[in-house]
Amino acid sequence: MLRKISVSLAGVLVLALAACGGSSSGGAGGSSSAAGNKPLVLGFSQVGSESGWRSANTESIKSAAKDAAVDLKFSDAQQKQENQIKALRSFIQQKVSVISFSPVVTTGWDTVLKEAKDAKIPVILTDRSVDSDPSLYVTLVGSDFTQEGVKAGNWVNKEFADAATVNIAELQGTTGSAPAIERKKGFFSVVTDKKFNLIASQTGDFTRAGGKQVMTAFLKAHPDINLLFAHNDDMALGAIEAIEAAGKVPGKDIKIISIDAVHDGMQALSDGKINYIVECSPLLGPQLMDTAKKVLAGQSVEKWIKTNESEFDSTQAKTALPTRKY
Ligand code: GYE
C-alpha cells in the first residue's frame, strides 16, 4: 500500500516537472522568455503563391523564423494590395515588434507605412521595393532586378551577335511590381540595337497559367517570334507548353531567356527548352531574421541589403541541379 502511494506520488512529480518544462520552453524563443525577454514577433505579409520562386521564399522565411526563435505571424495576400494593406494594419493593431512585407506593387503604400511609423513599428521590405519616401521603412532585403535585366540583355546581345533581325516577345511580371518594371528597364537598357524588334509584350502575372495563355495569343498573332524574354521561370514554363502546342520547338525555333532559376526552370534549361536563366535567390529568410534582430537591438543596417546571384546556361544547370535547394 505504502509503496503504491509513493509510486503514484513520483508519477505526479514527473508530470508536474514535465508541465513546468513545457511552459518555459514552449513556443518560439522559450528559453529567452524564461529569461524575461519576449520573443521577437514578426508580422510578415507575403505577396501570394504565384510561382515556384514564391513557394521557396515562403518556405525560407518560415524555416528561418523557426531557427531564429522568431514568433512569425504569416499572412498570404493572394497577389492583392488591399489584402496586404489589411494585413499590415492588423499587425499594427497586434503591436508586433517588426513588420515585413514583399509589396505586390511599388505604389500606394504611403498611408499605411506612416501608420506603422506612428506606432513606432519598424518596417523591413523583403524582395520587392516601394516608391515611397525611404524614411518610411528601415531597409530592403532583396535582389537588384535592374541588374538581372541587364544580365539577361547581355546574353541576348551575345547570342544574337550575328543575326540580322530578331523579333522579341516579352512576358512581363505583375503590372506595377518592382521586378516587372526593373527587369524590363535593365533588359532594354542594353538590348538597344536596331535589329531588335519588340513585337509583343504583355503581363502573364508571374504565373505559369498566365505565361501559357499570353504566349498562345502571341503565337497566333505573330508566327515569326525568334526570342522570348520571360520575367520569370514560371511564365517561361507556361510559354513552353504553348510553343509545343503550336508545333514549334522551344529553345530552338524560339530561344527563351528567363529569370529566377527555380528547380523546374533549371530542369527545362538542362533539357534545352530554356536557353539561359539569370538567378534571383528566394532564400531571404535568414537575412530577414538577422536584420529584424539588429533593427530591434538598435543597430544600424544598410538601406539595401542585396542578394548575391549568378547566371546559368544549360551545362551549368546540369551541374547545379543535383544540389539545388529549390
Ligand atoms: O521573380 C517571381 C515571383 O518578386 C523576385 O516574384 C520576385 C518575383 C519572382 O513571383 O517568380
Side-chain angles (χ1 to χ4, degrees):
M1 171 71 180
L2 246 181
R3 228 182 116 203
K4 239 191 190 165
I5 291 175
S6 66
V7 166
S8 54
L9 262 181
V12 168
L13 207 69
V14 166
L15 277 178
L17 279 176
C20 269
S23 67
S24 72
S25 65
S31 53
S32 58
S33 69
N37 299 325
K38 284 203 208 115
L40 188 160
V41 182
L42 174 67
F44 185 84
S45 166
Q46 181 59 291
V47 170
S49 51
E50 72 282 3
S51 64
W53 191 100
R54 192 62 57 195
S55 312
N57 179 246
T58 292
E59 171 53 31
S60 169
I61 285 161
K62 286 185 174 169
S63 69
K66 228 184 204 170
D67 292 348
V70 164
D71 182 358
L72 178 69
K73 309 243 175 272
F74 184 92
S75 171
D76 178 340
Q78 297 176 325
Q79 284 189 287
K80 291 203 178 75
Q81 182 172 35
E82 52 187 285
N83 292 346
Q84 282 200 303
I85 292 176
K86 264 188 216 149
L88 300 191
R89 292 210 162 113
S90 129
F91 295 148
I92 295 171
Q93 248 172 15
Q94 293 172 61
K95 298 192 170 47
V96 299
S97 340
V98 178
I99 289 175
S100 182
F101 72 117
S102 179
V104 59
V105 291
T106 56
T107 55
W109 301 105
D110 291 14
T111 309
V112 70
L113 287 177
K114 275 182 196 136
E115 288 166 20
K117 195 171 191 186
D118 290 345
K120 300 199 169 38
I121 301 175
V123 174
I124 299 172
L125 303 177
T126 351
D127 163 31
R128 299 181 179 179
S129 60
V130 295
D131 76 351
S132 300
D133 176 351
S135 73
L136 292 175
Y137 59 87
V138 184
T139 181
L140 162 67
V141 179
S143 310
D144 187 337
F145 301 137
T146 308
Q147 198 49 38
E148 291 170 354
V150 167
K151 287 178 186 170
N154 287 340
W155 176 81
V156 168
N157 281 329
K158 263 193 237 142
E159 183 70 16
F160 291 92
D162 300 328
T165 57
V166 183
N167 291 332
I168 304 178
E170 179 185 31
L171 282 169
Q172 299 178 36
T174 301
T175 307
S177 70
I181 296 167
E182 292 162 15
R183 285 172 182 169
K184 183 181 185 67
K185 188 175 101 195
F187 184 87
F188 288 106
S189 75
V190 292
V191 176
T192 51
D193 197 282
K194 285 195 304 293
K195 70 184 178 190
F196 293 112
N197 311 309
L198 181 64
I199 57 170
S201 179
Q202 215 177 295
T203 181
D205 214 11
F206 279 133
T207 66
R208 220 175 268 213
K212 184 176 181 180
Q213 193 193 332
V214 175
M215 192 65 191
T216 303
F218 280 177
L219 287 163
K220 275 195 191 125
H222 309 278
D224 51 352
I225 298 168
N226 307 115
L227 167 73
L228 170 66
F229 169 38
H231 288 193
N232 79 342
D233 289 350
D234 276 82
M235 291 191 295
L237 291 163
I240 286 171
E241 291 177 33
I243 294 169
E244 286 174 339
K248 294 194 172 187
V249 182
K252 294 212 166 61
D253 296 336
I254 298 177
K255 298 266 167 84
I256 302 179
I257 175 150
S258 68
I259 299 175
D260 272 358
V262 294
H263 184 274
D264 292 358
M266 292 288 272
Q267 187 60 57
L269 177 58
S270 115
D271 296 342
K273 295 185 176 189
I274 294 180
N275 302 84
Y276 202 74
I277 299 184
V278 174
E279 184 181 41
C280 177
S281 175
L283 306 181
L284 305 176
Q287 261 174 322
L288 172 60
M289 301 311 146
D290 225 49
T291 308
K293 287 189 172 177
K294 281 190 184 150
V295 168
L296 268 196
Q299 294 173 28
S300 70
V301 295
E302 300 275 315
K303 198 76 200 180
W304 184 3
I305 300 166
K306 274 193 211 178
T307 321
N308 289 331
E309 290 156 341
S310 62
E311 305 165 50
F312 301 93
D313 62 18
S314 183
T315 316
Q316 289 158 333
K318 283 196 178 86
T319 315
L321 256 176
T323 55
R324 201 92 182 134
K325 292 208 179 62
Y326 54 93

